[in-house]
Amino acid sequence: MQTIRSINLQKNLGDVLKAADVEAVLVTNREQPRAVLMSAEEFIRLKTAAGEPIPSEVRKSRPTLYRRPADPLGYDTRDPSYAIQMAEDALNGRHSEEIEQEIDRAMRRWGMR
């Protein structure tokens, strides 16, 4: 779960909303939990699971358009430093079979095979 201080919430709102589409974001004030921000889709899911009514304002929301797919090799792609670990793994021959399969799929998709 990502955490953001309430003082930084306004200037990072776009990034926080994008993060909330993927997972809940904890908002803290003076190092204490203050609120949890989540997608409308997740809110509806939790309300439904609890058997509670869903407010009509929330029902009007459209489904989330962007949801980052899980990386098939298990890298946390929300953290840009994953690219360094991925490069090191490739240089050390890790995941070579999966990489070859992905290259083959891309080549076929682009009509190169």
Side-chain angles (χ1 to χ4, degrees):
M1 174 182 282
Q2 291 190 22
T3 301
I4 187 165
R5 294 172 53 202
S6 60
I7 196 165
N8 297 326
L9 184 59
Q10 186 173 2
K11 66 181 175 183
N12 297 308
L13 186 59
D15 292 335
V16 173
L17 290 173
K18 197 178 291 186
D21 280 342
V22 178
E23 66 179 347
V25 177
L26 176 64
V27 180
T28 61
N29 186 11
R30 297 183 181 171
E31 307 300 321
Q32 297 298 314
R34 176 73 178 173
V36 176
L37 185 65
M38 67 182 73
S39 68
E41 182 181 77
E42 180 66 2
F43 179 79
I44 291 168
R45 186 189 72 76
L46 292 173
K47 283 291 203 179
T48 302
E52 297 177 5
I54 299 167
S56 60
E57 299 86 1
V58 177
R59 273 195 229 129
K60 294 178 191 174
S61 69
R62 296 178 301 198
T64 301
L65 298 177
Y66 176 78
R67 185 167 289 272
R68 185 185 310 260
D71 182 77
L73 299 179
Y75 295 104
D76 183 0
T77 57
R78 293 169 296 166
D79 179 5
S81 67
Y82 85 94
I84 295 169
Q85 182 63 47
M86 185 185 292
E88 289 174 358
D89 287 350
L91 291 172
N92 292 323
R94 292 188 193 101
H95 307 299
S96 57
E97 186 177 316
E98 292 89 346
I99 292 169
E100 285 299 321
Q101 290 174 358
E102 183 61 27
I103 290 171
D104 185 56
R105 282 192 295 270
M107 297 290 269
R108 288 177 196 277
R109 189 169 47 244
W110 297 330
M112 301 174 76
R113 284 196 181 157

